[in-house]
Amino acid sequence: MCGIIGYTGKCDASGKLIKGLKVLEYRGYDSAGIAIERNGATEIIKCAGRVDKLQAFASEVKTSHTGIGHTRWATHGEVNDNNSHPHQVGKVTVVHNGIIENYRELSEKYSLTDKLKSETDSEVVAGILDFYYRGNPYDAIKNTVKELKGTFALGIIFQDIEGAIFAVRNVSPIVACVGYDGSYIASDALALAGHCDEYFVLPEMTIACVKDNEITVTDFNSNTVKLEMITADFTDNEYGKGDYPFFMEKEICQQPEVIQKTIEKRIKDGLPDFTADNIDDEFFEGIKSISIVACGTAMHAGLIGKGLIEKKVRIPCCVYLASEFIYTNPIIDESTLLICVSQSGETIDTLEALKYGKRNGAKVLSIVNVRQSSIARESDRVIYTNAGPEVAVASTKAYTTQLSIFFLLCGTLSLLYGKQTEIEIREFIREVEKLPAAIDSLLKRKDEIHKLSRSLLEAEHAFMIGRGYDYPALLEGSLKLKEISYIHSEAFASGELKHGTIALITDKTPVIALVTQSGLKLKEISNIKEVQSRGARVITFVKKSLNDGLINCDFELPDTIDELSVVPSVVALQLLAYYVSSDKGLDVDKPRNLAKVVTVE
Ligand code: M6R
């Protein structure tokens, strides 16, 4: 939530900042702004709206070599020009990602109320920095940070310190690098692509002083901090849309390739193997229960993980919404394995749940996409999904790669706990290895899904029904439809309809039904008939081997075993939502009110 960028070097800063903001725009797109330093003065250009709009104004800006930029997901204060970042008070200008919880108190304590021009918590930080700034930026930052309650990543320029950017953070991320043509700070390493060979994550509560050719990082006692450098193994063009109109379509179509990448390194001699992730059998010793915490799509992946773990490993497994976890007094101790699932690795609710789990003695294993993200660094062990950068707000390839890890993990645990034989596991893994080809075959028929999607264009509400693993698959499909097409959609376990929801079914309600679970087929067919007889238009997605004429099939899903059918099913539902959204002319990649990375509780 909110992206920050900073550049100081030989090139023109505004161009660098705008380019960086375009990459970071997925973090929030309510407003954008830059501040550049020029001959001892600070010039700020900012506006509500997208970075493209800002770019038009920025073209009039004079050349400068140092600046900071911001793309906003609004928390405090409505979306308008005034509340856009950067914020300047006196000699200090800041960009901020995070939330300052005690900003009202601080505003009164430092008598800022009359000075501030915006309704934001962030401007208060600029005010306090200015209050403490008497020529020493370190003292000003330390004194200010001691006062702040909440999360923050701050990029700061002091008007009279030429060519330098200062940065400090608590929880919210900042990465930095000395690049080929100057030095950078950013909320995400994606914005450093093409600029450097290596970068580092700024340690929490340390102060970075960023200059053209060097970055020094010191702690609050003025000691130099040793930095852990990370190789920048990404290229600039990994972030383009290619020939696709939207990132979401590109990312849906990348799924065969990224699932393959995620599993191939972790299958040895036909069996799952996590030794390359530094996870051996010993890590799982003494585990008596598993708790999975995650949000949104990642939580839906967790639901499938739970079903598989309980079926194949036979140990109790709970899935928690990360935002609720710490408030539910969960049963967590040294015998709990806490699995945190997150694409970004920065979701604050998941991070807080992780910290709670650790405090209570749990072993923490995370399934994360973004390397060196906060969740990855806080965990005892990390399994990285190899999905590559996921830019569209609607998560697609992150989800299917998370599932792929759960499949392999279940194989490992089931063997370790003696619940399945090596022969059974090998057979299961062979089925997992067939998934990329199955999705490939489905993607070749995406036009059929496009046609089906047209019947949803006018719908205000949609329901999705299924049983067994189809139910959590539909929860994910339903979230996709809601978030990018703005159709109110709800997923139900089919058997539950008659306990209330069926009252809502009319001839105006499209119902999407999944039929992929062999043992539940006949019951599912009865449920489909129940809604049809109340007038509902039903769109059916039926697994090939179950498509025997007993029910009309609108789209035939490729065959997989029941436990894995969620993968092709959800890919089909991703496409369905995608086409509805793009045919409605919506901004598929940046749906309203959302942001890709959620770093506020
Ligand atoms: O980065 P994370 O996986 O931790 O994000 C969690 C959710 O915010 C995320 O999955 C969200 O639900 C998706 N963008 C929905 O498509």
Side-chain angles (χ1 to χ4, degrees):
M1 308 233 126
C2 300
I4 66 174
I5 179 96
Y7 170 79
T8 181
K10 292 171 193 61
C11 301
D12 175 40
S14 63
K16 294 282 183 190
L17 298 174
I18 295 284
K19 187 174 175 223
L21 288 180
K22 285 195 171 173
V23 178
L24 295 172
E25 203 174 20
Y26 73 91
R27 300 177 70 90
Y29 31 87
D30 289 330
S31 65
I34 58 172
I36 53 155
E37 179 207 85
R38 202 180 135 77
N39 302 332
T42 308
E43 186 178 352
I44 295 177
I45 307 121
K46 55 185 187 175
C47 56
R50 302 280 169 95
V51 178
D52 276 342
K53 186 171 162 200
L54 175 75
Q55 188 171 18
F57 299 123
S59 59
E60 287 156 29
V61 167
K62 299 211 181 68
T63 306
S64 149
H65 297 284
T66 303
I68 49 180
H70 188 270
T71 175
R72 179 173 185 238
W73 187 82
T75 57
H76 295 63
E78 65 183 66
V79 177
N80 60 28
D81 294 352
N82 246 3
N83 290 334
S84 310
H85 297 220
H87 293 288
Q88 182 178 24
V89 178
K91 288 184 174 167
V92 183
T93 305
V94 298
V95 285
H96 168 225
N97 168 30
I99 287 190
I100 308 301
E101 290 164 6
N102 56 338
Y103 76 106
R104 280 185 199 282
E105 266 162 73
L106 292 174
S107 178
E108 273 170 34
K109 177 169 171 188
Y110 288 92
S111 312
L112 293 169
T113 320
D114 295 335
K115 277 194 192 170
L116 303 180
K117 298 181 205 96
S118 77
E119 303 154 293
T120 66
D121 51 338
S122 312
E123 196 185 3
V124 173
V125 181
I128 305 173
L129 279 164
D130 184 60
F131 175 87
Y132 282 116
Y133 184 54
R134 301 280 175 273
N136 183 334
Y138 291 94
D139 285 348
I141 293 172
K142 280 185 251 179
N143 286 327
T144 302
V145 160
K146 277 184 205 150
E147 293 282 39
L148 307 180
K149 287 200 183 112
T151 59
F152 50 85
L154 295 165
I156 310 162
I157 49 180
F158 295 89
Q159 205 166 46
D160 53 359
I161 307 181
E162 212 174 302
I165 299 167
F166 291 83
V168 64
R169 75 180 192 97
N170 176 41
V171 184
S172 307
I174 295 186
V175 291
C177 71
V178 176
Y180 311 131
D181 54 8
S183 298
Y184 296 80
I185 60 162
S187 294
D188 185 326
L190 287 183
L192 307 182
H195 294 312
C196 61
D197 295 324
E198 53 177 22
Y199 65 96
F200 63 89
V201 177
L202 180 67
E204 284 177 288
M205 296 306 208
T206 63
I207 301 171
C209 170
V210 182
K211 293 190 176 159
D212 178 5
N213 281 320
E214 63 165 352
I215 301 179
T216 47
V217 177
T218 45
D219 64 18
F220 280 22
N221 295 318
S222 308
N223 301 311
T224 304
V225 175
K226 200 169 173 303
L227 300 167
E228 210 179 299
M229 299 311 290
I230 303 165
T231 306
D233 54 359
F234 36 61
T235 56
D236 227 351
N237 56 17
E238 260 186 86
Y239 306 110
K241 284 189 278 218
D243 292 333
Y244 295 95
F246 290 102
F247 277 102
M248 186 179 176
E249 188 178 348
K250 174 183 170 190
E251 289 161 6
I252 290 173
C253 293
Q254 283 179 315
Q255 290 177 106
E257 178 200 336
V258 294
I259 291 177
Q260 181 64 30
K261 266 197 193 164
T262 301
I263 60 174
E264 69 191 358
K265 294 189 178 135
R266 295 169 174 121
I267 300 175
K268 296 235 167 72
D269 190 23
L271 290 171
D273 183 311
F274 287 102
T275 45
D277 300 290
N278 192 23
I279 299 172
D280 53 17
D281 293 354
E282 214 178 300
F283 178 70
F284 297 109
E285 262 172 28
I287 300 296
K288 296 201 179 96
S289 69
I290 295 180
S291 293
I292 299 174
V293 290
C295 304
T297 292
M299 191 275 293
H300 293 155
L303 291 173
I304 299 284
K306 169 198 159 71
L308 279 167
I309 288 168
E310 292 201 327
K311 178 172 183 195
K312 288 187 177 290
V313 190
R314 306 300 298 156
I315 59 176
C317 179
C318 296
V319 180
Y320 294 91
L321 290 169
S323 55
E324 292 291 314
F325 182 67
I326 61 180
Y327 310 108
T328 53
N329 200 8
I331 305 169
I332 304 287
D333 59 23
E334 292 72 16
S335 67
T336 311
L337 175 66
L338 186 72
I339 303 183
C340 301
V341 191
S342 174
Q343 187 286 128
S344 62
E346 297 296 345
T347 303
I348 191 108
D349 292 323
T350 310
L351 185 60
E352 290 302 322
L354 184 162
K355 289 179 181 167
Y356 178 94
K358 264 174 105 173
R359 283 198 298 277
N360 285 279
K363 276 187 188 173
V364 180
L365 168 66
S366 290
I367 301 174
V368 170
N369 193 37
V370 177
R371 283 177 190 268
Q372 297 295 327
S373 49
S374 303
I375 291 174
R377 281 180 289 112
E378 290 279 342
S379 303
D380 295 315
R381 295 289 186 281
V382 190
I383 304 176
Y384 285 112
T385 49
N386 298 85
E390 192 183 64
V391 178
V393 165
S395 189
T396 52
K397 59 179 181 168
Y399 172 79
T400 46
T401 51
Q402 286 156 0
L403 291 181
S404 306
I405 297 294
F406 271 119
F407 300 149
L408 301 187
L409 203 55
C410 278
T412 299
L413 292 174
S414 178
L415 202 58
L416 195 67
Y417 283 70
K419 300 295 179 207
Q420 284 190 299
T421 63
E422 236 183 69
I423 296 175
E424 286 167 322
I425 303 292
R426 279 182 204 285
E427 207 173 306
F428 178 65
I429 295 298
R430 271 198 296 277
E431 293 298 325
V432 174
E433 288 177 310
K434 290 180 196 163
L435 285 171
I439 300 166
D440 219 23
S441 72
L442 187 154
L443 291 172
K444 289 200 173 90
R445 295 165 47 225
K446 58 185 184 173
D447 288 350
E448 289 176 45
I449 298 182
H450 195 175
K451 269 192 208 139
L452 282 177
S453 73
R454 293 194 180 117
S455 67
L456 293 173
L457 285 175
E458 303 302 324
E460 274 182 48
H461 309 277
F463 292 112
M464 302 201 182
I465 59 170
R467 287 172 169 261
Y469 292 102
D470 286 345
Y471 170 51
L474 288 164
L475 287 172
E476 175 54 15
S478 182
L479 176 61
K480 290 288 91 87
L481 192 64
K482 273 188 274 231
E483 70 179 324
I484 60 167
S485 77
Y486 313 150
I487 294 175
H488 165 237
S489 162
E490 287 195 57
F492 293 96
S494 308
E496 187 63 16
L497 278 182
K498 58 187 174 292
H499 298 290
T501 314
I502 203 160
L504 294 173
I505 301 288
T506 68
D507 56 0
K508 305 253 168 350
T509 335
V511 175
I512 293 154
L514 265 185
V515 188
T516 76
Q517 304 294 296
S518 319
L520 297 168
K521 183 182 86 172
L522 293 177
K523 287 198 193 308
E524 178 60 22
I525 289 175
S526 305
N527 298 136
I528 292 173
K529 299 239 186 259
E530 282 158 21
V531 291
Q532 275 173 332
S533 60
R534 278 144 184 102
R537 287 183 286 127
V538 182
I539 305 173
T540 52
F541 290 78
V542 184
K543 187 162 81 172
K544 187 171 180 207
S545 53
L546 303 185
N547 185 14
D548 50 11
L550 277 181
I551 184 94
N552 172 57
C553 167
D554 292 299
F555 185 83
E556 192 177 79
L557 291 162
D559 259 331
T560 53
I561 55 171
D562 287 5
E563 294 100 316
L564 306 183
S565 62
V566 51
V567 177
S569 301
V570 169
V571 174
L573 296 172
Q574 292 167 351
L575 284 167
L576 191 75
Y578 170 76
Y579 286 124
V580 175
S581 175
S582 62
D583 285 354
K584 278 181 152 189
L586 300 172
D587 187 346
V588 179
D589 288 337
K590 297 191 181 90
R592 69 182 175 213
N593 305 337
L594 291 173
K596 181 75 181 158
V597 186
V598 185
T599 53
V600 293
E601 279 175 278

